[in-house]
Amino acid sequence: MGEANRTGGGNDTGVQDLDELRKISPRRAGSEAERRAARHLEKRLQELGREARIEPIRVRPDFGLTYAIHAVAGVVASVLSVYAPLPGLALAAATTISAFGDLTGTFELVRRLMPVRASQNVISEEDNGKPGLIVLVAHYDAPLTGMLLERRLGTWPRAVIISLSVITICAIGRVLGISSTPFTVIQFIPTVVLIAVTPLFVELAISNTNDGAADNAAGVATALRVAESHSGRLTHFNLTVLLTGASAHFGLGMRAWLKENRKNLDPEATAVISLDNLGSGTSAYAAKEGPILYSHMNPTLVEMVSDSGAAYNSTELSDAYLVRSAGVPALRISTTERGTEPDPDTLARVHDFTAALLEKIDEEIGPELG
């Protein structure tokens, strides 16, 4: 499937959408700027001739403080286990379980201690009586600027969960009476790791928000262009546009949407395509994603784009990761150079790449839906 030439003169519209959303900043999750962006996008979808609505959600987006608490609790558990093994083990196990649930998007424990913020998803649905559903997703909030979010530190979730797990195992050993010097050294290493990352979590909690050009105003602008070019034009699939709030980190908007809609999504007749972090280079797709355990994207969708896009692996907990973990076919589309200044020609190619995928889904899977 090659990247078809469908852009024509429409690229100017995409650049304009990108610039307009970029000006609404800082689009931090739960902020007034994010709310203004949602109202702007609702109006923009209506201008494209689509029905659109804003769906309010409640989120806890402060993950810097969330993981600072996890790290400190892990250090305390490690020290406590030396003097009081059972309480130390209880604290270590609870902290590890909480971190694992949060980092996989399955449940929240410590995060429930964080302040609740109001956010919103922008939803535009089609109801043309077609048997299939394609959901085009892009988050419109902007990410934070903390040092921990640099690509070279992208493995921090695994470092945290491994450190907490080792401390828990060592705490079990303490309960069993193990206290040798080598054992103490093994326990000391992950404790130091948690001490080292704690200031980074605190710095992240107080960091600024960037303008979110590549991540993800460019994704939103491209989603709007695909909606403009393909609304009502697929033979077998309705096209829903879902612009998620509070999803730059940990997919909180997508979690809320899945909570309300998962039971209505037929895995045999649904495909979710996420446009996320579009910079420069060429079209790319995530073959697998996950901050701790990799989740492979849907193999059928991957096969459809494997000959025209570059594959990469992501350690993020994105909207696509959450959808795939929920058992619904999903694919994340990005670019080879993520996090860079969005290139208009690249965005045009991503539009064509995404449009070709939608058409191929319609042509190859649609007739099987009856």
Side-chain angles (χ1 to χ4, degrees), residues 74-350:
V75 173
V76 172
S78 181
V79 175
L80 183 61
S81 69
V82 176
Y83 304 99
L86 277 175
L89 172 59
L91 180 58
T95 304
T96 303
I97 291 170
S98 175
F100 180 84
D102 205 85
L103 288 170
T104 56
T106 51
F107 57 86
E108 300 175 352
L109 293 179
V110 170
R111 190 183 285 265
R112 291 186 174 275
L113 302 175
M114 299 300 104
V116 177
R117 306 293 185 198
S119 183
Q120 52 284 308
N121 291 329
V122 183
I123 304 171
S124 175
E125 299 170 318
E126 289 180 347
D127 186 11
N128 298 324
K130 299 173 184 178
L133 173 65
I134 294 177
V135 184
L136 190 63
V137 178
H139 73 83
Y140 65 89
D141 62 313
L144 303 177
T145 59
M147 183 185 304
L148 199 65
L149 300 178
E150 295 178 5
R151 188 169 297 182
R152 60 190 177 88
L153 299 178
T155 58
W156 71 262
R158 292 178 184 177
V160 168
I161 200 68
I162 290 172
S163 297
L164 290 172
S165 299
V166 171
I167 289 173
T168 301
I169 293 171
C170 290
I172 294 173
R174 298 284 182 186
V175 171
L176 297 176
I178 302 174
S179 59
S180 63
T181 299
F183 186 81
T184 300
V185 171
I186 291 173
Q187 184 172 349
F188 178 73
I189 294 173
T191 305
V192 170
V193 171
L194 294 179
I195 292 173
V197 298
T198 298
L200 297 179
F201 288 130
V202 174
E203 186 263 345
L204 185 60
I206 61 176
S207 66
N208 295 322
T209 309
N210 68 33
D211 71 350
D215 188 13
N216 190 38
V220 172
T222 304
L224 292 175
R225 289 197 59 218
V226 174
E228 182 178 18
S229 63
H230 282 71
S231 290
R233 299 184 184 179
L234 300 176
T235 303
H236 305 283
F237 287 85
N238 290 313
L239 179 63
T240 288
V241 178
L242 171 61
L243 306 178
T244 54
S247 280
H249 306 294
F250 290 89
L252 302 182
M254 177 56 74
R255 293 192 202 194
W257 185 80
L258 283 172
K259 183 178 180 180
E260 294 297 323
N261 295 276
R262 172 61 188 92
K263 292 181 180 180
N264 299 323
L265 300 177
D266 179 3
E268 299 298 324
T270 304
V272 177
I273 309 300
S274 174
L275 298 171
D276 196 347
N277 203 335
L278 309 183
S280 58
T282 60
S283 301
Y285 63 93
K288 52 186 179 180
E289 281 197 312
I292 300 177
L293 303 174
Y294 275 131
S295 178
H296 290 263
M297 293 295 103
N298 180 262
T300 300
L301 297 178
V302 168
E303 183 180 358
M304 287 183 176
V305 297
S306 60
D307 61 346
S308 57
Y312 71 97
N313 298 329
S314 167
T315 58
E316 297 179 52
L317 196 163
S318 70
D319 286 345
Y321 171 86
L322 290 168
V323 173
R324 184 60 177 149
S325 297
V328 178
L331 185 71
R332 174 181 175 174
I333 295 175
S334 300
T335 56
T336 51
E337 299 297 327
R338 296 174 293 280
T340 59
E341 181 68 17
D343 171 51
D345 290 336
T346 297
L347 299 188
R349 288 193 292 270
V350 174

